[in-house]
Amino acid sequence: FVESQGDKTKDPVVIWLNGGPGCSSLLGFFQEIGPFVLGDIGTDFTENQYTWNKNASLLFLESPPGVGFSENNDGVINYTDENTANDNYAGLIQFLTAFSDYKTNELCITGESYGGMYIPWFANKVHDMNQLSTTTLKVNFKGIMVGNGVMDMNMVNRNKALYKFLYERRLVDDDTAAILIDLCDQDINSPSCQWAQNKVGNFLNVLNPYDIYGYCYPPTLSSQKKSKFHFTRFFLSGNAQGKLELQSVKGFLSSDSDDNPKFSSPCVGTQSVEDYLNLKTGKTYPNQDAFHIRTKQVWQDCSEVVGNNYHPSGNGSIWIYEKLSKANYKILIYSGDTDSVVSYVETMGYIAKMNLKVQKEWRPWLISGYQVGGYVTNYEGLNFTTVRGAGHMVPQWRRESAYK
């Protein structure tokens, strides 16, 4: 928890959740929106002039229990969006009870990636509990903000969006795109579809999925080779009936290299955080002591136990965004436009399903007074913006834009 640098008695409390499912929100603290940040390598901090705690108090919440340094003490490892939301709500109430000075502050729930599921399910729990007359502590909940967030785990639809995104970026040629977008929709097991998938898969092996114009980290050829199969395995898996689906979170996050069996997202440069938190002097972890970690352990950016035992909701979260918008909460959805894992094409597809009335058409927004920061559309009950030149973790790679 980081108090606001402004007026902490009046500034909002902003909860931050990283995605996964199963990845630590300390990534957001150390590399995205915290007051001091680490780079992709090394353990030297620099002051973040675009930290979100200039005018908000920040609460980084590990979700679900068992992620990062958090502990799962009830023995339940069958994680779902619903029970994760219940745990998050319980944690929030415990926090507001212990730090009662913040009980009346406005509260917003934010995050990215699988946060597109975490956040609305959490928000829905807060909303529903606030409606009950028996709830003694009503949260002053105002809205949500989601970056490059997945809202539906239907891999057929997600792959369609991926192919359209790649085609728009001219990373797939016309003929191959026509097969992927049209023919594969009719028969995924057809020879033509299999050929097109293999072709694009072989090409995408050498691409950073989180930033198609960026490089994998650490920036060595051997490390890039170790990470190269993640992207294809995530997007191009199919079952015996020919339905594209996410076979397992581990299939995406686990390394294909025998000498580097690390459960981690590829190409995102989290080594600096691991080096800092896992620094060991003799038998002690001095940096973990500084953060008052009760049970010392080797910190990982993503939890294999959580990832392997997380079961996403079959009905996704789009319906919750619709519910929250009708309840007049503020909703901002933003997309780094070089991300292919949850691209702006996919996000725009989610929003289209909500059938919201456009209030202000797609138009550019500016940073530094004259540079295009991205493009924004205002809907009735929801705002959507792209962030130009940003990948999956917008505040990590475009901090000024994210702050604005």
Side-chain angles (χ1 to χ4, degrees), residues 358-376:
V358 175
Q359 292 183 326
K360 289 187 179 180
E361 297 286 348
W362 177 275
R363 63 197 184 280
W365 61 273
L366 304 178
I367 57 172
S368 303
Y370 57 91
Q371 295 288 347
V372 174
Y375 297 86
V376 60

Side-chain angles (χ1 to χ4, degrees), residues 158-367:
R158 296 199 65 198
N159 276 274
K160 289 180 185 178
L162 168 68
Y163 299 146
K164 290 178 181 178
F165 169 79
L166 295 174
Y167 183 56
E168 286 187 10
R169 293 290 174 166
R170 293 303 181 261
L171 295 174
V172 177
D173 62 86
D174 292 352
D175 293 338
T176 305
I179 295 173
L180 291 170
I181 296 171
D182 298 323
L183 293 183
C184 288
D185 190 32
Q186 302 172 22
D187 183 6
I188 193 176
N189 289 320
S190 68
S192 295
C193 180
Q194 294 294 312
W195 172 83
Q197 286 186 339
N198 289 333
K199 180 179 179 180
V200 72
N202 288 332
F203 168 71
L204 295 176
N205 279 340
V206 295
L207 203 64
N208 180 342
Y210 292 95
D211 178 7
I212 60 172
Y213 301 129
Y215 294 96
C216 283
Y217 296 99
T220 65
L221 181 61
S222 60
S223 295
Q224 288 182 5
K225 285 184 176 179
K226 288 178 181 178
S227 296
K228 73 177 186 177
F229 294 107
H230 295 276
F231 190 58
T232 305
R233 288 176 61 177
F234 175 62
F235 283 107
L236 302 181
S237 57
N239 62 19
Q241 287 73 41
K243 179 182 178 182
L244 287 172
E245 60 182 15
L246 178 59
Q247 292 179 326
S248 70
V249 177
K250 185 178 180 181
F252 174 47
L253 296 177
S254 296
S255 173
D256 293 287
S257 171
D258 293 336
D259 62 337
N260 187 31
K262 176 185 174 186
F263 191 82
S264 175
S265 303
C267 307
V268 295
T270 62
Q271 189 62 49
S272 60
V273 183
E274 293 183 30
D275 289 344
Y276 176 78
L277 290 175
N278 294 329
L279 176 67
K280 193 172 184 180
T281 303
K283 295 183 178 180
T284 66
Y285 291 87
N287 294 333
Q288 293 186 25
D289 287 335
F291 278 84
H292 310 289
I293 304 303
R294 180 169 55 190
T295 304
K296 304 301 184 292
Q297 58 186 288
V298 175
W299 181 87
Q300 289 183 300
D301 55 356
C302 300
S303 167
E304 185 170 6
V305 173
V306 173
N308 284 339
N309 292 280
Y310 201 100
H311 307 284
S313 169
N315 59 347
S317 62
I318 294 174
W319 65 276
I320 304 179
Y321 289 89
E322 296 174 309
K323 175 179 175 179
L324 296 176
S325 67
K326 292 176 182 177
N328 296 318
Y329 293 108
K330 294 180 180 179
I331 302 175
L332 173 63
I333 298 174
Y334 63 91
S335 286
D337 65 7
T338 66
D339 175 36
S340 66
V341 174
V342 187
S343 72
Y344 65 84
V345 175
E346 183 174 339
T347 300
M348 291 172 67
Y350 295 144
I351 296 174
K353 291 182 179 180
M354 300 179 195
N355 295 313
L356 301 174
K357 181 180 179 181
V358 175
Q359 292 183 326
K360 289 187 179 180
E361 297 286 348
W362 177 275
R363 63 197 184 280
W365 61 273
L366 304 178
I367 57 172

Side-chain angles (χ1 to χ4, degrees), residues 5-21:
Q5 296 180 35
D7 187 345
K8 67 180 182 181
T9 64
K10 297 180 180 179
D11 287 344
V13 174
V14 173
I15 295 177
W16 176 269
L17 301 170
N18 274 84

Side-chain angles (χ1 to χ4, degrees), residues 136-149:
T136 56
L137 200 168
K138 302 293 180 72
V139 178
N140 190 11
F141 175 55
K142 294 299 181 180
I144 64 174
M145 182 164 59
V146 179
N148 292 80

